[in-house]
């Protein structure tokens, strides 16, 4: 794909791809992950609400029509 050949001196394009695959690409993915986690608001209050709703569904207390809409 980029001209990689085993057991020989690599050209600059191959070395650049290898370098970016271990530095730039993970850095970009880390930033994307941080953005997603910033908007994924799961705090203790929200977690407890979810657990209560699951327990209520298991006991038959809630169904899809009586379920609370999350904040």
């Amino acid at each position: 794909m980029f001209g990689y050949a085993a057991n020989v001196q690599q050209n600059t394009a191959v070395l650049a791809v290898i370098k970016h695959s271990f530095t730039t690409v993970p850095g970009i993915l880390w930033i994307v992950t941080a953005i997603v986690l910033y908007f994924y608001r799961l705090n203790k209050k929200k977690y407890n609400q979810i657990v209560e709703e699951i327990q209520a569904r298991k006991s038959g207390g809630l169904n899809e029509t009586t379920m609370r809409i999350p904040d």
Side-chain angles (χ1 to χ4, degrees):
M1 182 171 173
F2 291 101
Y4 177 80
N7 301 320
V8 296
Q9 180 68 32
Q10 304 302 320
N11 64 36
T12 57
V14 172
L15 292 175
V17 169
I18 293 171
K19 176 185 166 196
H20 288 298
S21 68
F22 285 96
T23 57
T24 308
V25 173
I28 291 170
L29 292 176
W30 184 86
I31 291 169
V32 169
T33 301
I35 291 169
V36 169
L37 289 176
Y38 177 78
F39 290 106
Y40 184 72
R41 299 292 184 179
L42 183 63
N43 54 26
K44 191 70 171 173
K45 180 181 174 185
K46 180 74 76 177
Y47 173 79
N48 289 335
Q49 177 185 350
I50 292 169
V51 170
E52 287 174 11
E53 289 178 5
I54 291 171
Q55 290 172 346
R57 285 185 200 169
K58 285 183 179 179
S59 67
L62 280 179
N63 58 35
E64 290 182 21
T65 58
T66 59
M67 200 170 66
R68 289 185 289 179
I69 297 173
D71 298 326

